[in-house]
Amino acid sequence: RIQPNLLDILSKTKYIENGGNEMKPLLTITNYGHSCFSVTYGDYTMIIDPYRENSIPGLPPLHLTADDVFVTHEHFDHNARSAVKMKDKAVPSPFKLTRITCAHDKEGGRKRGMTDILLFEGENLRFAHFGDIGESLTAEKKDHLKDLDLVLLPLGGFYTINKNLPAVLPNF
């Protein structure tokens, strides 16, 4: 169901000067594996869900730098704040954060606890990181997530979203 038109995405890409005559994208997303992403907007960088070294088989240790670190929940494969060096002169976030609490499992959080969907809004941009949600979203939660410009989905693992993807996501 999620099949954005690549031309639409590319046509919305904005660039800013990067010293001299060089230009750099205004928004850059990097997936480091599992649930870890960096989002850079201009000079501001956030890291979401950094994982602890040796917690995810096959993934290298993280050595990242950012203005902010956000975690969806306090499991060791999502909360390695120490893997991120904070900038000496942090750039203020251009985004407002809303946390949408969800169950990490199909049993209302009784097995794995609770987790958050992180909804960021600002600079005419709305995006969400879905973390390790394990429940089907209620109509109210889906309503909060309407009209997203970007969705960050950790997919394919035992603790991340798996084959039940259609059940947990709103219709985009």
Side-chain angles (χ1 to χ4, degrees):
R1 276 189 83 87
I2 302 173
Q3 297 180 7
N5 181 331
L6 184 57
L7 292 177
D8 286 345
I9 292 170
L10 294 175
S11 68
K12 292 179 183 178
T13 301
K14 296 179 183 175
Y15 292 85
I16 58 174
E17 287 191 35
N18 187 17
N21 294 328
E22 295 181 29
M23 299 294 278
K24 69 176 184 176
L26 182 60
L27 178 68
T28 304
I29 312 291
T30 305
N31 180 352
Y32 292 96
H34 192 55
S35 189
C36 184
F37 290 84
S38 70
V39 177
T40 299
Y41 185 85
D43 293 324
Y44 172 80
T45 299
M46 72 172 76
I47 304 297
I48 304 171
D49 277 0
Y51 55 84
R52 187 177 357 166
E53 186 172 350
N54 297 319
S55 66
I56 311 297
L59 292 183
L62 294 172
H63 302 286
L64 306 172
T65 302
D67 298 289
D68 284 316
V69 178
F70 299 99
V71 299
T72 55
H73 61 292
E74 293 299 333
H75 289 175
F76 64 89
D77 56 340
H78 294 264
N79 70 351
R81 293 171 183 88
S82 62
V84 181
K85 181 183 183 296
M86 302 308 290
K87 290 182 183 176
D88 291 333
K89 294 183 180 180
V91 174
S93 176
F95 304 106
K96 174 188 160 223
L97 169 64
T98 302
R99 290 180 174 271
I100 302 168
T101 301
C102 299
H104 193 322
D105 54 68
K106 292 180 184 176
E107 296 185 26
R110 286 186 294 280
K111 283 185 170 181
R112 296 188 188 127
M114 303 304 283
T115 186
D116 290 331
I117 295 172
L118 306 179
L119 173 62
F120 297 92
E121 299 174 276
E123 301 295 319
N124 294 315
L125 184 63
R126 294 184 83 239
F127 64 96
H129 181 288
F130 277 72
D132 279 356
I133 63 169
E135 70 176 44
S136 295
L137 296 178
T138 64
E140 180 182 357
K141 290 176 184 178
K142 286 181 181 182
D143 194 49
H144 284 296
L145 297 166
K146 285 194 304 193
D147 301 320
L148 294 174
D149 297 300
L150 178 68
V151 175
L152 304 176
L153 292 172
L155 296 173
F158 181 74
Y159 292 114
T160 57
I161 301 168
N162 59 21
K163 64 183 179 195
N164 298 318
L165 177 66
V168 298
L169 293 180
N171 295 325
F172 293 102

